[in-house]
Amino acid sequence: AKEGLRVGFWWDGDNVHAPHILCFDMGTNYGGMGLREEPGGVTLIDLSEEARSIWFTAINDEVQDWLRGSDFKGLINVDVIEVDGRLSLGGWDLGWPKLHTQVFMSAIKGSFSRFLLGNSSIEFSHRYTVALPVSIPPWPNNPESKMRGVSPLNLPIKLNSKLHKHVFFHDVQVDVENKQLSTAETDGLIGVVHASANNAVGAIAKTVQIAGLLEVDNSQYRTDVGVNVTTLIVQLEEQ
């Protein structure tokens, strides 16, 4: 598979739901620099009906039988590798995978809690959904480092109230009385911004715009999120 390209789906213990493609922007800084093992963004692409037959070539009956015997239910993404002309799967990520969870939650149509309770089917609201971490130092801490830093405490965070639905907050605390947000002295990951559209350019532009409205000193995020999406989709269609 191309770097950062994976397939994802929801597994209910018996069947595949909401198959999609994930295009990860590996590296936390512009151009893929920074911590390479950490995704700096991800684009979820809902598959058209025409493309689903290709997708199920990888997630075939044999794979689904194996999953049925695993006693697992939840979100999955996996790398697809071509070996001697055949598709092989590797690097399984099961549970609540990093960034995949946020982009999936924001992509599905309707109430996520209703869906978890089994009261609604899974549909995506748009063809493309983008998720983008917005942070301050020391995020991302290298997991191999023995020195783990924390973010400043009480650093003000300004956000247009209309944009709350586009952010999953992490390193924040809320002053309810004064209606203010500030940092909570954890890892520096302020939140994950997300937005959707029926074309890649629109979803990417909207996400970057929202990230810019999340005002906090020394904020950092990849302004080139989704830079490889169009190229990867063209390559997939050709193959």
Side-chain angles (χ1 to χ4, degrees):
K2 304 298 180 184
E3 182 183 3
L5 189 67
R6 299 171 72 85
V7 298
F9 56 97
W10 182 270
W11 179 254
D12 69 0
D14 192 50
N15 292 294
V16 166
H17 296 275
H20 51 275
I21 292 174
L22 296 164
C23 181
F24 285 94
D25 299 290
M26 299 309 295
T28 52
N29 299 342
Y30 186 92
M33 304 298 287
L35 188 62
R36 289 286 301 169
E37 294 79 13
E38 185 81 25
V42 65
T43 302
L44 181 150
I45 306 165
D46 184 17
L47 292 175
S48 64
E49 290 298 327
E50 296 80 8
R52 291 193 178 203
S53 61
I54 300 173
W55 190 95
F56 279 108
T57 301
I59 311 300
N60 54 29
D61 291 341
E62 183 180 351
V63 172
Q64 294 187 50
D65 286 343
W66 172 77
L67 284 170
R68 289 185 187 101
S70 69
D71 198 30
F72 172 81
K73 296 180 181 180
L75 198 57
I76 296 173
N77 73 66
V78 60
D79 194 14
V80 180
I81 307 163
E82 186 177 344
V83 180
D84 297 328
R86 298 188 63 182
L87 295 178
S88 177
L89 303 177
W92 289 80
D93 202 352
L94 289 73
W96 298 108
K98 189 176 295 184
L99 274 193
H100 185 192
T101 297
Q102 291 95 329
V103 79
F104 182 81
M105 287 174 62
S106 57
I108 64 172
K109 189 176 181 179
S111 167
F112 190 70
S113 58
R114 282 177 57 83
F115 152 66
L116 285 178
L117 292 169
N119 296 329
S120 63
S121 59
I122 310 172
E123 294 180 47
F124 292 122
S125 62
H126 295 81
R127 180 86 194 279
Y128 296 88
T129 301
V130 179
L132 175 63
V134 177
S135 64
I136 59 174
W139 192 89
N141 275 303
N142 190 326
E144 297 180 358
S145 173
K146 295 180 181 179
M147 299 290 291
R148 300 299 298 272
V150 297
S151 68
L153 182 63
N154 295 326
L155 189 66
I157 302 168
K158 295 180 182 179
L159 177 66
N160 186 315
S161 60
K162 295 180 181 179
L163 300 179
H164 283 189
K165 64 181 180 180
H166 291 288
V167 187
F168 293 113
F169 287 106
H170 289 264
D171 183 4
V172 301
Q173 57 184 351
V174 183
D175 182 340
V176 177
E177 184 176 344
N178 295 309
K179 297 181 179 180
Q180 293 180 340
L181 285 177
S182 62
T183 54
E185 200 179 28
T186 61
D187 62 355
L189 178 59
I190 301 300
V192 177
V193 169
H194 53 90
S196 301
N198 285 324
N199 62 78
V201 173
I204 292 166
K206 190 175 181 181
T207 305
V208 173
Q209 179 187 29
I210 294 167
L213 295 172
L214 187 59
E215 297 182 36
V216 58
D217 288 346
N218 299 318
S219 68
Q220 51 192 13
Y221 56 90
R222 284 195 62 164
T223 56
D224 65 339
V225 64
V227 65
N228 295 318
V229 169
T230 302
T231 302
L232 289 169
I233 293 303
V234 170
Q235 292 175 344
L236 282 174
E237 290 174 347
E238 288 178 348
Q239 294 174 4

